[in-house]
Amino acid sequence: MGAGASSIMRQGGHGGAQETGLGDLPESCIAELMRHLDPPGICKLAKLSRTFRGAASGDFVWETKLPRNYQYLMEKASDEVEQRVLLTKKEIYAQLCRRNRFDGGAKEFWLEKYGGRLCMSISSKALLITGIDDRRYWNNIPTEESRFHSIAYLHQIWWFEVDGEIEFCFPPGTYSLYFRLHLGRPSRRLGRRVCNTEHIHGWDIKPVRFQLWTSDGQHALCQCKLADPGCWIRYHVGDFMAGTADVPTKLKFSMKQIDCTHTKGGLCVDSVLICPKGLIQE
């Protein structure tokens, strides 16, 4: 039974029988099958034989895995126009699955490799942070705990406000937006990770107000108190829908705690994450 699943018998010359394996299937048939698989499944099948490897490299297969606006994404990812023209669809998919920096390196996007859905991260350096240029309040500190290798650290402030915006042609779908925050200042000492919590205060008195707005009138709002020192936490701001990949979505977002009856401090702001809804388990 198992042998019958992987090969069939055909009559050969001189009255003999000859086995036909999967590698004898037409490459076009294999490519048609691969169109219905996810990218990791395609790559696994490509290891079976030369025929499967040839089918797995076809533009016909990989074009179905790319976002409809992949050319726009490639323009964001690279300025080398001539190189983009020469890439196969498989190479384009591989390029877009890497971290692609844009806007001076303060933002990046990538496709998650299993489904080809767009994700984006925005560095704290691309955000408008009240008081960021005053060393009494904020410092930009280097760290390996950020994909941008730098975070904004708040010592103490009365008026806490962080704003940002992005205008981008998101592929159609529903997206979630998060702020990545950390109470306490992380560092390494003698090869071990440590967290300095001496500046943490004020976050348990009043909640932080998170909001997002889109150019087509969508709005989300949530409030929560920051907690769990020593851990990076993604705070979910809300969700928004992108209807078409041809028209840019203008997105604004913010977090605020502007009750000036008390100060707050000891907070690291790393980045803003935008990803398909449901990709991150809450």
Side-chain angles (χ1 to χ4, degrees):
M1 186 71 177
S6 60
S7 65
I8 60 176
M9 301 298 292
R10 69 181 180 189
Q11 294 298 320
H14 309 292
Q18 181 177 349
E19 286 192 355
T20 300
L22 288 174
D24 296 313
L25 290 172
E27 188 172 300
S28 59
C29 293
I30 298 172
E32 180 62 36
L33 169 66
M34 289 180 171
R35 291 180 70 240
H36 302 282
L37 301 178
D38 60 19
I42 295 172
C43 294
K44 288 179 181 178
L45 284 184
K47 300 177 182 178
L48 292 179
S49 71
R50 182 179 299 175
T51 305
F52 275 74
R53 187 162 56 252
S57 300
D59 284 354
F60 171 73
V61 173
W62 288 95
E63 191 162 16
T64 63
K65 312 305 172 188
L66 289 166
R68 192 177 69 181
N69 65 337
Y70 70 87
Q71 293 178 330
Y72 165 84
L73 298 177
M74 286 299 291
E75 289 174 1
K76 285 287 188 180
S78 172
D79 293 328
E80 300 177 15
V81 178
E82 294 182 357
Q83 180 182 358
R84 291 202 306 272
V85 173
L86 298 176
L87 294 179
T88 66
K89 295 297 191 297
K90 180 181 179 180
E91 291 169 334
I92 291 174
Y93 188 89
Q95 171 65 41
L96 293 178
C97 285
R98 303 187 187 109
R99 293 164 51 186
N100 297 285
R101 296 280 175 95
F102 66 105
D103 281 2
K107 303 169 186 173
E108 65 180 26
F109 72 86
W110 65 97
L111 301 183
E112 53 94 10
K113 63 181 181 179
Y114 292 100
R117 296 180 296 172
L118 181 82
C119 302
M120 181 182 294
S121 187
I122 302 172
S123 166
S124 60
K125 290 187 176 181
L127 304 177
L128 181 61
I129 302 176
T130 300
I132 188 64
D133 295 324
D134 194 325
R135 293 283 182 97
R136 294 174 299 172
Y137 306 129
W138 291 90
N139 281 110
N140 289 308
I141 58 176
T143 177
E144 294 300 314
E145 297 189 12
S146 168
R147 59 194 306 132
F148 296 98
H149 304 293
S150 176
I151 58 177
Y153 178 69
L154 172 64
H155 296 282
Q156 177 174 288
I157 205 165
W158 293 89
W159 185 288
F160 173 73
E161 182 173 3
V162 179
D163 299 285
E165 64 179 52
I166 180 76
E167 188 169 1
F168 199 86
C169 290
F170 291 93
T174 303
Y175 295 84
S176 297
L177 186 143
Y178 302 83
F179 276 93
R180 186 172 186 257
L181 309 175
H182 183 287
L183 283 178
R185 178 170 177 167
S187 61
R188 301 197 70 81
R189 184 179 302 159
L190 300 177
R192 296 179 56 191
R193 185 185 191 272
V194 295
C195 179
N196 187 336
T197 61
E198 66 174 319
H199 293 136
I200 300 175
H201 68 282
W203 305 110
D204 57 343
I205 300 174
K206 292 288 183 67
V208 174
R209 183 182 180 94
F210 298 91
Q211 292 191 83
L212 70 81
W213 304 263
T214 65
S215 50
D216 61 359
Q218 299 177 65
H219 177 244
L221 166 68
C222 73
Q223 299 185 90
C224 67
K225 294 180 179 179
L226 307 187
D228 297 325
C231 301
W232 284 105
I233 298 177
R234 298 185 187 97
Y235 287 88
H236 184 203
V237 179
D239 304 326
F240 68 95
M241 291 184 62
T244 173
D246 301 324
V247 179
T249 298
K250 188 169 184 180
L251 182 67
K252 295 185 177 182
F253 43 88
S254 71
M255 61 175 173
K256 300 179 182 179
Q257 215 289 33
I258 55 178
D259 184 342
C260 293
T261 61
H262 65 282
T263 62
K264 35 267 173 188
L267 177 70
C268 294
V269 178
D270 173 35
S271 58
V272 168
L273 173 66
I274 302 172
C275 64
K277 183 178 180 179
L279 183 65
I280 295 178
Q281 297 299 318
E282 299 291 337

